Amino acid sequence: MSSARQGADRDGPFQLRGNSFTMMVLKVNDPASPDFFTQLAVKVRQAPNFFRNAPVVLDFEELTEDTPRFDIAALVTNLRALYLLPVGFRGGPRAVHEGALAAGLTPMPAGRAAKLESAAPPADPQAGAAPIPAPPPEPIYRPALLVTEPVRSGQQIYAEKTDLVITAPVSPGAEVVADGNIHVYGALRGRALAGVSGDTNARIFCHSLEAEVVSVAGLYRVSEDFGNDVLKKPVQIFLRDGYLHMEPQ
């Protein structure tokens, strides 16, 4: 694209760009349960700053054609009353799809789409043998994202497909996110989410654990759950046997 065209795009009333965002997934197992919103409200109260105005994708994968009908519009309204913002949905039977669309939710993909060049070509039925598939491409190395300034309240830093290294404090109300590990060489306040693309081997390391919420591959703990053995101490946080562990260093 010419520099003149680029300048015209920048000066236009809008630009369209692709991007990726971290969103919470709420798995809906029993929408008719009388305890659904009671239990959810308890979770939200544990970390109100973490959940407040958080975009949410509703996961209906566990629902079947035999699931009793329920009012998805009312479900969305009740979630908004808890300051959660439903923006999309995935899974579920056709009736649920139709209700979710009518409620203004966007269908979301179940996972990342495969790149076209990674798909093997179909075998030639006229050939004597199937072609040998091309070797997978070498992984692209991305150096860790290094942040040397304090992360202020309201800031979000995302290390896409790499680790995040912060050599300064993270303030309350800030959010640090990485597809890989997170290293904080200072006080970790605010929220820290490692392995957000599903890497269960990701870890969080910090010199002083004072966070509101920590999460690895979607499993999280809030500050009320931190023991005195790790609070305000050097800690590493990781998954083991499906549970989030914290170990003082």
Side-chain angles (χ1 to χ4, degrees), residues 84-196:
L84 298 173
L85 301 180
V87 296
F89 72 96
R90 66 186 188 189
R94 180 176 178 179
V96 170
H97 280 211
E98 293 172 351
L101 289 170
L105 301 180
T106 301
M108 305 292 286
R112 295 177 180 271
K115 293 183 178 180
L116 292 177
E117 59 267 24
S118 67
D124 183 355
Q126 303 299 323
I132 299 175
E138 291 293 325
I140 299 175
Y141 171 72
R142 287 195 177 188
L145 176 61
L146 176 63
V147 177
T148 59
E149 299 292 329
V151 184
R152 305 298 184 185
S153 178
Q155 278 187 286
Q156 185 196 64
I157 296 178
Y158 174 37
E160 183 179 6
K161 298 180 182 178
T162 190
D163 294 347
L164 176 60
V165 178
I166 302 172
T167 61
V170 178
S171 299
E175 185 173 79
V176 292
V177 183
D179 287 331
N181 304 302
I182 295 177
H183 304 256
V184 179
Y185 295 98
L188 172 57
R189 305 180 183 95
R191 301 175 290 277
L193 293 76
V196 294

Side-chain angles (χ1 to χ4, degrees), residues 207-220:
H207 278 192
S208 180
L209 178 62
E210 305 170 38
E212 302 164 15
V213 178
V214 293
S215 170
V216 176
L219 295 181
Y220 72 92

Side-chain angles (χ1 to χ4, degrees), residues 11-126:
D11 295 337
F14 65 86
Q15 289 182 328
L16 289 175
R17 295 181 177 178
N19 212 326
S20 60
F21 299 91
T22 302
M23 286 191 287
M24 190 179 307
V25 175
L26 175 62
K27 194 171 186 65
V28 180
N29 296 327
D30 184 5
S33 170
D35 298 326
F36 188 98
F37 288 102
T38 302
Q39 295 182 13
L40 185 58
V42 171
K43 283 288 185 184
V44 170
R45 284 197 297 268
Q46 289 178 344
N49 291 333
F50 177 63
F51 291 108
R52 189 177 187 87
N53 295 329
V56 175
V57 174
L58 303 182
D59 185 346
F60 298 124
E61 293 285 353
E62 294 298 317
L63 306 186
T64 67
E65 297 289 351
D66 297 328
T67 300
R69 295 242 174 181
F70 64 99
D71 189 339
I72 297 181
L75 175 68
V76 169
T77 299
N78 289 330
L79 290 174
R80 288 175 177 160
L82 295 176
Y83 299 102
L84 298 173
L85 301 180
V87 296
F89 72 96
R90 66 186 188 189
R94 180 176 178 179
V96 170
H97 280 211
E98 293 172 351
L101 289 170
L105 301 180
T106 301
M108 305 292 286
R112 295 177 180 271
K115 293 183 178 180
L116 292 177
E117 59 267 24
S118 67
D124 183 355
Q126 303 299 323

